[in-house]
Amino acid sequence: MQRKSTLALTALLAGCAAMTAGDYRDRAVQTMKADFNERGQAKLDRLDQDETQTLCSRTPADGAPDKEVAARIEKINHDSVRYPADGKLLGDWREGEKIAQSGVGKQFNDNPKAPAGGNCYACHQLSPQELSYGTIGPSLRNFGKIRGGGEAVQKYVYAKIYNPQAFTACSNMPRFGHNGILTEEQIRNVAALLLDPQSPVNR
Amino acid sequence: MTKGLMGALAVLVVAAGYARAQSDAGTLKGIEKYREALADDNPADLWEARGAELWSAKRGPKGAPLAQCDLGKGPGVVKGAYAELPRYFADADRVMDLETRLVHCMVTLQGFSPAEATRRPFGNGSNRSDFEALAAFVAAQSRGAKMSVSLDHPKERTAYLLGEQMFFYRGGPHDFACATCHGESNKRIRLQDLPNLTDTKDAQRAYTTWPAYRVSQGELRSMQWRLNDCFRQQRFPELKFASETSIALTMFLARNANGGVFSAPTIKR
């Protein structure tokens, strides 16, 4: 009897003391919210997550989101895509190349009034002339040459840049249109860099 | 130094020229050569020397040196201390990294207020930071030591698990987490190799090479600075110096590097 109650108490204490992964997560979020200073355009609300960010903040123990969660993420992000009202999906690939090269924008030391870049080369190979490209994302060399440039492809590329998580839950790629990093005009220009037959990406 | 750097720059220019005609492998080889050439002379020595002076200088309202500061291996023991940080300190009843502990000693031994002590975490030209000099000095006394960060104390374990959650926390306009760039092996951003900080070998290679003299900035930069600048690029607000978040993240990174041989201060592009 004595032994049994001691065991029960131990179990109770362990239960009280042990923090679950969710507890650590909540505490980490609280801690972070107290540990940053607003600076420039980077206000503290940048630490507030939307549903997608919450569902995609996963430790190795959490693993990849299961099918249902992934489908939910892709649905809410797909619903967020806004195509240009005039239906024009491709712009000027030369402007697109400049946007792909530029990494400025949204950092606390950046001018909030200057247009942001897409920084595509940080993660992707695009034009063969640019040797300094990253490998976090797949190579986009010959993107349009391989896929053609029909309306369905144009719509896909526009939406993919606007919100990549419409197609790939928890993608590393920023949601450029959804989060207001690039304007409609800028997204069109980047889409042209990928799809225009004259673009160096396809030559 | 000048000769070493000139040679290094020449290698870089040559590397850039060759790269056009050559494959990625050629480019990476050129970068590797540049790094080797840089290692010849390291201006980090200047920060290390100033840190040694600061360590023994009588300063603050109490006119005392830091020399009796306990970095975890006993008062005044600097050798090997950095390779075991962050750690739990019973006198403060919390986990501290190097910077937090230095602030603690500046307050308790030298009589500075916490605000005075943390006035300038990072240097900029003639506005020099005492912390970067002290970090260079203390870190250098762990050269050759194996990273050995403990999780024996419950608060050490908590700090590590909080750091892990923070590492995978996605936020801001770009949805970036630390893990976006540092959660997979064999990736680069532009031409810069990205260490996978969840992988033992990569974490060891990365953590044991900070602080570093950054050629592009002409400054010695600490791991604290590295964290701050990562958050800037993550599009987050500004990380507070010596905050719980920086301690927890440092704990996560340092512990993941356990077993690696400490070799900083180094020199980096």
Side-chain angles (χ1 to χ4, degrees):
Chain A
M1 187 65 193
Q2 175 84 36
R3 194 160 157 259
K4 208 173 171 187
S5 59
T6 311
L7 272 176
L9 182 66
T10 310
L12 185 69
L13 279 177
C16 291
M19 282 170 67
T20 66
D23 295 337
Y24 282 110
R25 195 196 148 81
D26 292 346
R27 197 165 143 194
V29 175
Q30 280 172 7
T31 307
M32 288 176 88
K33 287 193 173 169
D35 284 350
F36 284 82
N37 289 320
E38 291 192 351
R39 184 164 164 189
Q41 61 179 299
K43 308 298 180 201
L44 293 179
D45 62 6
R46 291 197 178 179
L47 296 166
D48 298 332
Q49 293 180 315
D50 69 7
E51 188 183 358
T52 300
Q53 290 172 331
T54 302
L55 292 172
C56 292
S57 296
R58 313 180 74 87
T59 65
D62 297 328
D66 62 32
K67 251 188 193 164
E68 270 173 41
V69 174
R72 157 118 193 113
I73 293 166
E74 287 166 13
K75 183 178 185 320
I76 52 180
N77 284 286
H78 203 270
D79 291 347
S80 91
V81 177
R82 299 285 173 271
Y83 294 97
D86 62 5
K88 194 171 168 270
L89 298 166
L90 296 187
D92 178 352
W93 67 261
R94 287 172 194 83
E95 291 305 312
E97 169 71 16
K98 287 181 205 162
I99 295 161
Q101 290 282 2
S102 169
V104 301
K106 304 284 184 190
Q107 296 169 129
F108 59 60
N109 57 326
D110 286 328
N111 174 4
K113 290 188 182 116
N119 211 13
C120 313
Y121 283 104
C123 301
H124 297 283
Q125 181 183 31
L126 292 112
S127 304
Q129 288 81 359
E130 181 52 85
L131 297 162
S132 175
Y133 61 84
T135 59
I136 295 174
S139 170
L140 303 175
R141 174 97 187 88
N142 289 323
F143 187 93
K145 209 177 188 175
I146 294 163
R147 292 167 184 80
E151 209 203 322
V153 176
Q154 289 183 24
K155 270 194 101 168
Y156 166 74
V157 168
Y158 189 94
K160 178 83 181 178
I161 301 166
Y162 191 98
N163 192 339
Q165 299 210 42
F167 307 96
T168 310
C170 302
S171 164
N172 281 330
M173 184 168 149
R175 295 173 284 171
F176 288 103
H178 176 74
N179 281 337
I181 302 164
L182 297 180
T183 63
E184 185 178 282
E185 187 59 27
Q186 285 180 305
I187 296 174
R188 273 189 193 125
N189 292 337
V190 176
L193 178 68
L194 290 170
L195 293 178
D196 194 315
Q198 299 307 311
S199 160
V201 167
N202 301 314
R203 289 174 74 91
Chain B
M1 168 185 131
T2 323
K3 207 174 159 193
L5 283 183
M6 290 292 278
L9 284 174
V11 171
L12 187 66
V13 170
V14 170
Y18 276 170
R20 222 160 254 279
Q22 288 197 334
S23 62
D24 271 3
T27 312
L28 293 176
K29 225 177 206 172
I31 295 170
E32 205 44 58
K33 271 190 184 167
Y34 168 70
R35 286 182 186 143
E36 275 172 29
L38 280 181
D40 283 351
D41 305 280
N42 190 347
D45 294 352
L46 302 173
W47 274 259
E48 197 181 318
R50 190 160 64 86
E53 279 170 31
L54 282 167
W55 184 254
S56 49
K58 291 178 179 166
R59 298 168 74 228
K62 294 187 185 174
L66 280 171
Q68 285 306 299
C69 182
D70 183 352
L71 297 174
K73 294 175 77 76
V77 181
V78 185
K79 195 164 177 53
Y82 191 74
E84 297 179 18
L85 288 169
R87 71 191 299 156
Y88 173 77
F89 287 88
D91 59 4
D93 190 30
R94 56 187 284 232
V95 173
M96 295 169 140
D97 61 3
L98 174 66
E99 279 81 0
T100 325
R101 191 60 183 173
L102 287 173
V103 171
H104 175 86
C105 288
M106 288 162 97
V107 170
T108 56
L109 298 178
Q110 299 183 313
F112 287 111
S113 72
E116 284 166 340
T118 56
R119 200 169 42 96
R120 188 174 293 134
F122 310 117
N124 180 11
S126 55
N127 293 323
R128 301 185 301 182
S129 162
D130 292 348
F131 286 100
E132 285 172 336
L134 285 164
F137 164 68
V138 173
Q141 313 310 308
S142 280
R143 269 207 195 99
K146 270 199 177 159
M147 287 299 301
S148 179
V149 175
S150 156
L151 292 185
D152 291 344
H153 194 279
K155 290 195 175 179
E156 290 169 341
R157 206 171 154 68
T158 297
Y160 180 88
L161 292 170
L162 288 176
E164 183 187 37
Q165 292 292 334
M166 293 163 180
F167 186 85
F168 290 97
Y169 189 83
R170 297 185 71 167
H174 285 58
D175 300 329
F176 288 157
C178 305
T180 307
C181 286
H182 297 291
E184 279 182 79
S185 299
N186 304 315
K187 299 286 183 191
R188 0 181 273 247
I189 188 160
R190 290 279 186 163
L191 288 179
Q192 180 70 50
D193 293 325
L194 294 166
N196 174 1
L197 299 174
T198 66
D199 171 82
T200 304
K201 281 239 148 43
D202 272 16
Q204 288 173 343
R205 206 177 311 134
Y207 195 87
T208 59
T209 55
W210 289 94
Y213 177 79
R214 293 294 300 268
V215 177
S216 52
Q217 303 181 26
E219 295 283 352
L220 180 124
R221 295 307 192 190
S222 57
M223 182 45 82
Q224 281 273 335
W225 176 88
R226 183 59 273 173
L227 288 181
N228 274 54
D229 207 53
C230 272
F231 277 121
R232 178 182 66 84
Q233 293 172 299
Q234 242 173 281
R235 275 76 177 176
F236 276 40
E238 188 175 41
L239 179 65
K240 287 184 191 170
F241 181 70
S243 60
E244 291 303 318
T245 296
S246 79
I247 296 167
L249 268 172
T250 304
M251 182 57 135
F252 180 70
L253 302 180
R255 170 69 187 199
N256 287 351
N258 259 12
V261 177
F262 193 76
S263 60
T266 59
I267 184 162
K268 292 174 189 272
R269 179 190 62 82

